[in-house]
Amino acid sequence: MMDRRISLYWRRLFDLLLLVSVIVALTGCGMGTIDTSAANTLSITGIVHGGQQPVSGSSIQLYIAGISGNGSAATAMITSSTVTTSPSGAFNITGDYQCNHNTDQVYLTATGGNPGLTAGTNNNALVLIAAIGNCGNLGSISNLDIDEVTTVAAVYALAPFISLNSSAAPYFNIGATSTNSVGLANAFLDAQLLANFTTGSAATLASGLTTQPGKLYALADAISYCVNSGSSTSAACASLVTASTPSGGTAPTVNTVATTLSIVQHPGNANVVGPVWSLINARAPFATTLTQAPNDWTMTLSITGGGLSSPTALAVDVSGNVWVADYNGGLSAFSPQGTALSSTGYGSSTLAECYGLTIDTSGNIWVTNFEAPNGKGSVSKFLGVGSGTPGSIVANASNSSYYFYDSSIDFPTALAADTNGNIGIANSANSSATVYSSSGTLATSGLASGNSADPVAIAFDSYHGLWLSNRGDGTATHVSSAGTILAHPSCCSGADGVALDASGTAWITNYSGSYVTELSSSGVSQSLIDGGTDGGVSGGYPIGIAVDAAQNVWVADYRATAITELAGNSNALPAGTALSPAKGYGLDASLLLPYAVAPDASGNVWVSDFGNNEIVMFFGLATPTVTPVRPIPAAP
């Protein structure tokens, strides 16, 4: 099976004395409505730092994130009093707020104040925040330490939910759609993977989870000079605004949240990366380990364990859990914050040579076995988290095994789930597609037979038809649910991944040619992305591909160490325009043979990193997208 069958084997402390209560970790998810009569008994104490200096006279506010759209207006919780920090930077919120619902997502802001300068100073560019999460957990938080680190962490995780609008302060506009409470809640939890808001330092993570604290501290250092200046008109703030303005873009509002957001939303822009780094000097308050400018300002979480063994295909379920097929046999699963659902994974005694994975409409996980059990291959089905016993393998009563197959299954390489519950299977050896019902019985076989050659990727369209990318002959096939060939263009070179956008356009990666092809539903080539400024595709041998709710395209470049983002058909830029830098995103994450890519409802991008036996999450890099994606990417 050429390259796939061969190469896949290669593959801050003294300040805490100012605080007077015991630190309690933020955990759990509350439900229902808080008894407002108990609100007066709740108390939050904390301290605000600018760098290592206490900030006095800073205004403190709690906000409930909006629910009327991404970047929608938040609701202020403290309305009956004014809370400001003391000369030591300390504040106390007692009986000044109440929660409407325990599951409301809450964040705290500190705006303005004097960061240890001449008496009377009020730096109106100083804005610091902490992403707290469930409102029901406020009663368990004794102390907060808000600084640049918590601010950068919050912006990284919440970037897809913050409005970068020059006419309004972005910290007033953090919110999601009313139908994406899961994605928003997970994003607030993601912020805690980066910073501990009770200490104001980088978070300490469990074994197997790794972020980039050096980059986190470096960006905190970069914004600290504006924080510790006298006003928004200071030279330090002017320099920060200039450095955070992307080439050809609009300068952000002069405050530290807006500038941080601009950096995070343009992480690879050449007018941002180096200039932001140049703001850091020997007086930097946080101990970054970086010795030179990063390749970009993306932030990642790398995850190992959970049975990962040369991970290939992955998908995200409705709760944000990530399911991963392992080439060496097994199914791995992780919570939205990277905790393994099983330390060893599932199905290791059954699965073998797993290239494909999909999640059906019931949340069940389907995985391909390239050859097992009979030398021609099969698919296996596992229960999802909604079952109560996630990861349980489902028996096939018809053959008393854990394999589903029939005579049409022949070296299956890829899977896709349809909106009607069906599962599409790409058969590499007999160059056809098979469709199974959700129960695992044969629905249709032989689709595209004679009009396909070694298909290695498959995707359903909105009408239950299928797209196949054919590595064998450089074509793609679009076939209706009834078997009619709708298109069979010669388009490609080592065609591999395929993903559809909202217009029904198919985007195909070309492994051998290192380019991406865009095809209309009738097979007409609309754009071809393979130039030297292609965002990392050229020379990357792209395999995995996905489209987010903004209809932008994400590509895993297998032989590169990065992923690529391309403008889609809903972008103001021409389709196929590189949005990532010339070498792609994520070089600092040290990817090795990235295989598959998927966006989630928090706007994170997940990548299976085959060569490092890990999966990697890019914080807030995409547009929040319904998961599982099927078949057309949409906003949750």
Side-chain angles (χ1 to χ4, degrees), residues 204-217:
T204 299
L205 300 179
S207 175
L209 303 180
T210 306
T211 58
Q212 299 180 61
K215 188 179 288 187
L216 179 75
Y217 282 146

Side-chain angles (χ1 to χ4, degrees), residues 330-352:
L331 172 66
S332 300
F334 302 86
S335 77
Q337 284 70 51
T339 301
L341 302 190
S342 165
S343 62
T344 58
Y346 308 102
S348 59
S349 62
T350 301
L351 303 181

Side-chain angles (χ1 to χ4, degrees), residues 597-624:
V597 60
D600 72 12
S602 299
N604 303 316
V605 176
W606 293 87
V607 181
S608 56
D609 192 8
F610 184 96
N612 285 322
N613 278 332
E614 67 181 11
I615 60 172
V616 177
M617 182 186 82
F618 286 76
F619 287 79
L621 199 54
T623 298

